Structure formats: C-alpha cells, structure tokens
Amino acid sequence: MLAEAALVLGVWLQLAAGQEAPGQGPQPSISSSEGDILFLLDSSGSVSYYEFSKVKEFMWDLVRPFTFGPNDVQTSIIHISTTPTMEFPFDRYLSRGTVQQAIRNTQQLMGDTNTGKALSFAKEKLFSNDAGARPDVPKVLVWVTDGFSSDDISEPMQLLKDMGVTVFIVSTGRGNYLELSAAASQPPEKHLHFVDVDDLPIITKELRDAMLDVIQANRLRVVDITSSSFRLTWPQLLSQETGYYTLQYAPTDDLAAKRTTQVSGAHTSLTLSNLAPETTYEVALVPESNIHYFPPQTIRVTTLTEEISPAQVLISDSRPHSFQVSWAPTPDSVTSYQVLYGPLRGDSAQLLEVDGTHNSTVVENLAPNTTYLVTVTAIYSSGKEKSLSAKACTQEEGSKVRHLRFEDMGSNTLKASWDAADGKVLGYRVRCRRQTGPSSLISVSPQIHSVLLTDMAPGTTNKVCVKSMYKDQPSKGLCRTVRIQPEAPGYKHRQRA
C-alpha cells in the first residue's frame, strides 16, 4: 500500500514539475494514446530522392509528439516496391529518439509501385505477433502516395478496413480522387488529403488530430466540456469486486489546490463540476486494483469561457393583463433567475423567482395599456449576479382593429379590409349601416380580414364598423364612413353571366 501511495504522489509531483517518471526523458506533447501506426511508404522508382526525403520528414513530424512503448504508441514502415518490405517491426523502437533515427535511416528501394501487394502484406503484419503488433489496440494505416499504382488496391484495402483498420491517405501527386476517396476511411474529408510534397507541414496537425481520435478512444477521455464542468470517461479496467479508482485534479497554475475523489471499480465515467471557467486542469486517474497493476492515466482539460446570462431579454405575447418574458442563454453555472417588474412610471415592483433550468416565465395581473420595466437577474453558483433590463407594454383592454379600408368591386359591391388586432382574437364582426336599405352584420373567423358588402346603392353614404371579439368582451369598434359614387348618366354595370 505504501508503494501505491508513493506512486500516486510521484505521478502528481511529475505533473507539477512538467516531467515524466525518471528514465522516460522529457515529457512528450501527447500522451494517453495507444495504437499501432503503420506507414505505407512509396519507395518505388516513380518517387524522386527529394520527394522521398520530404515524406520521411513528414512521417517523423507526424508521430514526434507521441509516447512510444508497449502500452502506448508503436509504429512501423512498409515499403511499396516490386516486393513489399517491412523496415522494422512495431516493437523494435520504443522511444522517440530511436524511432526518429529509424525513420532517418530508411532508404529508398526503387522498383515498381505494387501498392496492392503492399496492402496485402500490411494486412498480415498489422495483426502479426511476429511483427510486434498487439491485439485489441486501434490500428492506423497512413499511406503516402504520388497517386500511381501498378496493381489493384480496392480489394486489399477493403479487407483492411473490414478488419477495423483506419486508413488515412496523403496524395502528393495527381491521384484519382474517386479511387482514393473510396480507398480511405469515411468520411474522406477527414481521412484523405491532397497536398504538394513541399506543403506537407500544412496538414500535419490536422492529420495527427484525426489519428488521435482513433488511438485515444480506449484511454482516459474528456467529453461534455462546459465553463464549469466536464465529464471523464475511461475503459472498464476494474469491477466492483476488484478495486476502485482514485481521481485527482487541480488547476495547472495552482496544483496545491488538488482535489481527490474515489469511485467504485464499476464506474467508467465521472463528471467534475463547480470548476472555474477558462481554466486548464491536470487530471490523474489511478486504478487501484487488488489483482493487476494498471498505470495511472493523465489528461489536461481546459474549461470553456463562461457564458454570460442573460445576454438578451425578449418580451412576447403581450396582452392587456400579462406578457411573457424570455431570456438566453441558460448556462449550467446559473442556479436561479429573479424577474423584477413594475410600472415605468411608479415606485412599486414585484419579484418572481425562476429555476435556473428555465428560460421564460409569464408575468400576470398587470394593468392594461401600461409600460413596465422588467429586469432579469441570473444568480450564479459562485454567488455572482448579472442583470439585464427591457421595457414591456401591455395591450389596451379590447384592442382595436387597424387600418380599415375599402375597395370598389363594381356591381354595387364594396370590399372592406382591415389589419389584424392584437392578442388572442376569437373573430371579427362587421356591421354596415346603409343610407338606404337594411343594415347587415357579418361574423368571420380570426384568420379572415376582409368581407364583401353588397347592395351598396350608388350615391349613398354608409357607415361600416369592425370589432375584434375576445373571450371576455369585444373591443371598441373601428368605424369609417364610405360614400358610393353615383353612376354616370347612361352607364350601367355589365351583368355577370
């Protein structure tokens, strides 16, 4: 137990010092990765010595940040030539220095570009114990090509992908896009690159990040990052009966503020909350097993910038005695909202409390035709507060329709139209008082905003009123007088057939 405690302390001190354990050398830029990476290198006579040298530099730049070892990343090279050749087995070089030297020492073989034959050879070596490959780790194939092959690649490439190998293709020549996009893993925009040999450094980071998505899948990972939390996931190493996990985390600039928590061996994830925004945390997961030894896993995580809430306040669905207040965004760090409202011209105000997961509320029991000042305040878990205000106006009691207008349709017919009234209108009533002839009353649904008035005698002045109908009462009517022009002497409307 003392040895395990010393190990945990050692890991934490190494994080604080920015170093790995003795004998591991300087800390690599990327750790917590595990996989076998195979480079399929075009070593044929179709590639110039200059291009071959630039591709070797690219290969080393691509893997340089990785940690190499039997529990980390292993790599190898297969030459594409007349006969495929493996430069070295996966498990021969297990440090950055030896891998770098091995890549530098790789010599071009010349010969034909038998890529299909090399792919079949790669399928054997990627899953061969004799070649140093490991079972149950992610397999990655990186094929750097000038776009030309002397034999068919489709069948052996498909077999590799069917066996779970993730295929990345880098074309430095004029390769056939349709052929190469079919050969690469999907989607091609993530796994296929066309680039001049002198511009290979441009794609190095993008390609490395895509490879990391594959080889980090079975290690400690972080998902669901917010300004105040993130969730850690890891493979099932223990069980309820075989041990537990110790998890330690602290800001990189204040490792003395380390926090420790423990979860049972049945767990494979844990959410860390109440964290500071825009802060980088060092995290160490230590599996404590009473059967096997598992090395600690570490990861570095940066929380997001804190969302400021409320960033906007919206007023909607205004009625004579109520309106709705909405706001955004609603970050996890907010525990509750306070909505303070009162007449703009007055000294009284009322307060509503709203849960932090909600983004709207309805304010009721208001006076009609009144302007209110509404202030929404976010209460953060840290104790901070942020407020934003907006003005809101209630509707008049029984809102009027607007813009009543008329159009002569001929044949003693008049079209009356209006704009919709505000609020929840149940319908409209149109009353026409004719100078000669009987009055009429027409009721229409709330979706209809015009009616035809017939039997409008020429030369008469008539009164038309439109009322919007509400649940409680009708509105005040909007009325207009309209004069029907007399017919010109000798003119009669043409009768419709």
Side-chain angles (χ1 to χ4, degrees), residues 147-408:
F148 175 79
S149 178
S150 302
D151 55 354
D152 178 68
I153 67 167
S154 57
E155 183 177 348
M157 187 67 85
Q158 189 59 51
L159 286 173
L160 277 168
K161 291 187 290 186
D162 290 344
M163 296 174 73
V165 178
T166 302
V167 177
F168 295 91
I169 301 177
V170 178
S171 176
T172 60
R174 299 180 179 178
N176 184 301
Y177 175 79
L178 292 178
E179 181 182 61
L180 294 180
S181 62
S185 292
Q186 298 300 307
E189 55 267 22
K190 184 176 181 180
H191 298 87
L192 174 61
H193 297 270
F194 285 85
V195 64
D196 188 84
V197 71
D198 290 315
D199 295 327
L200 284 168
I202 295 175
I203 66 167
T204 300
K205 184 179 185 305
E206 182 180 354
L207 177 55
R208 185 192 299 131
D209 289 345
M211 292 166 62
L212 273 171
D213 287 344
V214 179
I215 62 179
Q216 280 190 326
N218 293 325
R219 302 298 293 267
L220 180 62
R221 300 182 66 198
V222 61
V223 295
D224 302 336
I225 303 175
T226 71
S227 61
S228 61
S229 66
F230 53 78
R231 185 163 64 91
L232 298 164
T233 66
W234 58 87
Q236 188 172 2
L237 304 175
L238 309 174
S239 67
Q240 184 80 32
E241 294 75 25
T242 60
Y244 60 93
Y245 298 98
T246 298
L247 194 135
Q248 301 171 333
Y249 59 102
T252 54
D253 57 358
D254 187 15
L255 292 174
K258 176 187 67 176
R259 285 180 269 182
T260 301
T261 186
Q262 291 183 344
V263 294
S264 75
H267 282 73
T268 56
S269 68
L270 179 67
T271 298
L272 301 181
S273 55
N274 298 320
L275 306 176
E278 290 186 278
T279 302
T280 300
Y281 286 84
E282 300 282 2
V283 181
L285 177 72
V286 184
E288 308 276 10
S289 172
N290 53 24
I291 298 177
H292 300 291
Y293 166 73
F294 294 99
Q297 298 185 34
T298 61
I299 196 168
R300 181 174 292 179
V301 189
T302 301
T303 52
L304 302 181
T305 302
E306 187 170 36
E307 289 184 290
I308 301 301
S309 178
Q312 56 179 336
V313 173
L314 303 175
I315 308 297
S316 61
D317 196 18
S318 178
R319 301 183 182 186
H321 299 285
S322 67
F323 51 73
Q324 184 170 22
V325 185
S326 305
W327 54 88
T330 53
D332 294 338
S333 52
V334 173
T335 59
S336 64
Y337 293 93
Q338 293 180 347
V339 180
L340 184 70
Y341 62 96
L344 190 61
R345 299 179 182 275
D347 55 3
S348 62
Q350 298 185 62
L351 184 68
L352 284 177
E353 295 277 354
V354 182
D355 185 84
T357 59
H358 296 169
N359 69 340
S360 67
T361 189
V362 176
V363 179
E364 299 177 307
N365 302 319
L366 305 176
N369 196 27
T370 302
T371 301
Y372 285 83
L373 180 65
V374 181
T375 301
V376 179
T377 301
I379 311 297
Y380 288 81
S381 55
S382 62
K384 293 192 301 182
E385 298 183 5
K386 172 70 169 58
S387 300
L388 189 65
S389 299
K391 291 181 182 179
C393 298
T394 52
Q395 298 294 325
E396 290 185 33
E397 196 85 68
S399 176
K400 290 183 180 180
V401 297
R402 292 165 297 191
H403 304 138
L404 180 58
R405 52 204 179 272
F406 303 98
E407 181 182 356
D408 186 357

Side-chain angles (χ1 to χ4, degrees), residues 1-266:
M1 196 67 186
L2 278 174
E4 290 185 356
L7 174 63
V8 174
L9 178 61
V11 169
W12 195 257
L13 291 175
Q14 289 150 20
L15 286 172
Q19 298 176 348
E20 286 189 318
Q24 296 287 320
Q27 181 185 3
S29 301
I30 299 173
S31 59
S32 300
S33 301
E34 185 178 33
D36 290 340
I37 300 174
L38 177 62
F39 286 98
L40 203 61
L41 178 61
D42 194 339
S43 192
S44 67
S46 65
V47 177
S48 69
Y49 176 81
Y50 173 79
E51 291 171 331
F52 190 81
S53 300
K54 297 297 288 185
V55 170
K56 288 200 301 180
E57 293 176 13
F58 168 69
M59 289 162 52
W60 168 238
D61 287 338
L62 197 61
V63 299
R64 176 165 48 183
F66 293 138
T67 302
F68 297 95
N71 296 311
D72 297 287
V73 172
Q74 294 185 165
T75 189
S76 182
I77 298 172
I78 286 181
H79 293 269
I80 300 174
S81 185
T82 304
T83 301
T85 304
M86 193 171 201
E87 181 71 15
F88 49 84
F90 286 99
D91 57 355
R92 177 170 295 176
Y93 303 113
L94 301 179
S95 69
R96 295 204 319 172
T98 56
V99 170
Q100 180 184 23
Q101 192 60 47
I103 293 176
R104 284 177 177 171
N105 292 340
T106 300
Q107 300 296 313
Q108 188 173 3
L109 301 182
M110 308 304 286
D112 295 331
T113 314
N114 291 331
T115 308
K117 189 181 293 187
L119 287 169
S120 298
F121 185 70
K123 180 175 70 71
E124 297 174 11
K125 298 302 180 182
L126 270 169
F127 297 92
S128 168
N129 291 331
D130 293 339
R134 297 164 293 178
D136 303 323
V137 301
K139 308 288 183 179
V140 173
L141 175 71
V142 181
W143 174 27
V144 184
T145 176
D146 64 358
F148 175 79
S149 178
S150 302
D151 55 354
D152 178 68
I153 67 167
S154 57
E155 183 177 348
M157 187 67 85
Q158 189 59 51
L159 286 173
L160 277 168
K161 291 187 290 186
D162 290 344
M163 296 174 73
V165 178
T166 302
V167 177
F168 295 91
I169 301 177
V170 178
S171 176
T172 60
R174 299 180 179 178
N176 184 301
Y177 175 79
L178 292 178
E179 181 182 61
L180 294 180
S181 62
S185 292
Q186 298 300 307
E189 55 267 22
K190 184 176 181 180
H191 298 87
L192 174 61
H193 297 270
F194 285 85
V195 64
D196 188 84
V197 71
D198 290 315
D199 295 327
L200 284 168
I202 295 175
I203 66 167
T204 300
K205 184 179 185 305
E206 182 180 354
L207 177 55
R208 185 192 299 131
D209 289 345
M211 292 166 62
L212 273 171
D213 287 344
V214 179
I215 62 179
Q216 280 190 326
N218 293 325
R219 302 298 293 267
L220 180 62
R221 300 182 66 198
V222 61
V223 295
D224 302 336
I225 303 175
T226 71
S227 61
S228 61
S229 66
F230 53 78
R231 185 163 64 91
L232 298 164
T233 66
W234 58 87
Q236 188 172 2
L237 304 175
L238 309 174
S239 67
Q240 184 80 32
E241 294 75 25
T242 60
Y244 60 93
Y245 298 98
T246 298
L247 194 135
Q248 301 171 333
Y249 59 102
T252 54
D253 57 358
D254 187 15
L255 292 174
K258 176 187 67 176
R259 285 180 269 182
T260 301
T261 186
Q262 291 183 344
V263 294
S264 75

Side-chain angles (χ1 to χ4, degrees), residues 397-401 421 466-470 473-478:
E397 196 85 68
S399 176
K400 290 183 180 180
V401 297
V466 180
K467 287 184 179 182
S468 52
M469 307 304 295
Y470 294 89
Q473 60 181 3
S475 70
K476 298 175 182 177
L478 178 60

